Amino acid sequence: MNWHAFLDNLTIRTSALMLARSKYFRAEMQSEPVGEMVAAVSLDVPPITGPGLVELAAETPVGVLDPAFRVVRWSPSKATIIYHHGTNENPPEMSFNKILAGKGTAVPANLIFVRAPFNSSLRAFVASIAQARNYAAMLATSAVLIEGLVRRCREQGQGPILISGISLGGFVANLHHTYFNSADAYAPLLAGPLIEDVFLNSVYRKLVAAPDAEAEGRITRALSFAAEYAAVSHHNLFPLLARHDQYIRYDVQRAAYGPNVPVAVLEKGHVTGALAHDALRAHLLAVLNAGLKQTT
């Protein structure tokens, strides 16, 4: 086992001890499929007038949720990057700032950050993951919010739109690609089309309340969107994976993307890959400069 894989495993072992009584889906593993959740979420994205935080109320099958977005950079008729954070980032905009919006990051695009519901605090997130329905609703709400932002950008005459995000955010990008596919390009980072594999087959399983075979089927039914993904054109999809990632397993997710999707590869694990801010930024800039031209 190399250093990258070792660090992923150590991180999960430590997290499993800390979250021994707060594991994923500990109260309920059953949920309607995430695709049904997407169809059931209702929210309104107001016109974008400039930089600032906008907090929303989303009607969902699990109640009213609290997604938000922040416009960090906004100029007329420019390309736009919409970015979604990873799991329980603290603060939520940490990776966004490191990759795209920090000092010295010359990214020639409008920048919009998306915050998932249940991610305003650690306490809210840990409480939410007790139920698979909450997790599916979180994914679906973020995808619907991104779709609202895409529509506003189109209405307001902005240039090409790139959807990205890291880990959880990368899965949300793939979910939006699957159910809407309305952006010009997608660049999911350290994520694939099989989110259920993370919880059932990777080392991340240690953070899940021990499921039996029936419960595994319920989790798969709740979170899988693989069949719908397979039915979508992927000409605008430019993902990045880490070869030694122990959570988002490279061989599994690379195969799931399909043979015609160009996948960039970092020789890192999940933890070390998430910290490779320069490499992640370089991938997004490459998609911005080349990928968008191919799709417009």
Side-chain angles (χ1 to χ4, degrees), residues 29-79:
M29 295 182 180
Q30 187 161 330
S31 170
E32 51 267 69
V34 66
E36 292 184 12
M37 287 278 192
V38 169
V41 171
S42 176
L43 58 80
D44 180 52
V45 174
I48 300 171
T49 58
L53 176 68
V54 179
E55 297 180 305
L56 302 172
E59 298 284 347
T60 82
V62 301
V64 178
L65 300 185
D66 63 341
F69 68 92
R70 183 186 296 277
V71 179
V72 175
R73 191 179 302 154
W74 188 252
S75 298
S77 304
K78 289 187 67 174

Side-chain angles (χ1 to χ4, degrees), residues 92-277:
E93 297 179 38
M94 181 172 60
S95 67
F96 172 75
N97 289 335
K98 295 286 187 180
I99 297 169
L100 290 172
K103 294 181 179 179
T105 55
V107 178
N110 291 323
L111 298 177
I112 302 176
F113 166 79
V114 172
R115 189 193 76 206
F118 303 122
N119 277 261
S120 58
S121 71
L122 174 60
R123 177 176 294 183
F125 179 75
V126 169
S128 75
I129 61 173
Q131 296 180 314
R133 289 190 82 221
N134 286 342
Y135 196 83
M138 176 187 69
L139 294 170
T141 301
S142 285
V144 173
L145 170 51
I146 289 172
E147 177 60 12
L149 289 168
V150 170
R151 292 182 180 183
R152 284 301 186 188
C153 288
R154 300 291 192 210
E155 291 170 1
Q156 295 180 229
Q158 295 296 2
I161 300 168
L162 168 61
I163 307 299
S164 186
I166 192 166
S167 195
L168 167 67
F171 283 111
V172 170
N174 280 327
L175 192 69
H176 186 274
H177 169 67
T178 296
Y179 288 102
F180 297 102
N181 205 20
S182 57
D184 297 283
Y186 294 82
L189 307 172
L190 306 179
L194 300 180
I195 191 169
E196 67 274 20
D197 183 75
V198 179
F199 294 105
L200 298 179
N201 302 309
S202 81
V203 66
Y204 206 86
R205 182 188 172 103
K206 294 180 183 295
L207 303 184
V208 180
D212 55 21
E214 181 179 354
E216 289 180 357
R218 290 176 179 174
I219 292 172
T220 299
R221 179 177 181 272
L223 301 183
S224 178
F225 55 92
E228 293 83 357
Y229 169 87
V232 174
S233 169
H234 307 308
H235 68 281
N236 54 351
L237 181 59
F238 306 92
L240 178 146
L241 293 171
R243 193 180 306 278
H244 308 293
D245 196 325
Q246 301 299 292
Y247 316 158
I248 288 78
R249 298 188 297 161
Y250 174 79
D251 290 344
V252 171
Q253 303 291 351
R254 176 65 188 91
Y257 270 124
N260 297 321
V261 174
V263 177
V265 182
L266 292 182
E267 297 297 332
K268 293 185 179 295
H270 196 81
V271 174
T272 53
L275 294 174
H277 305 126

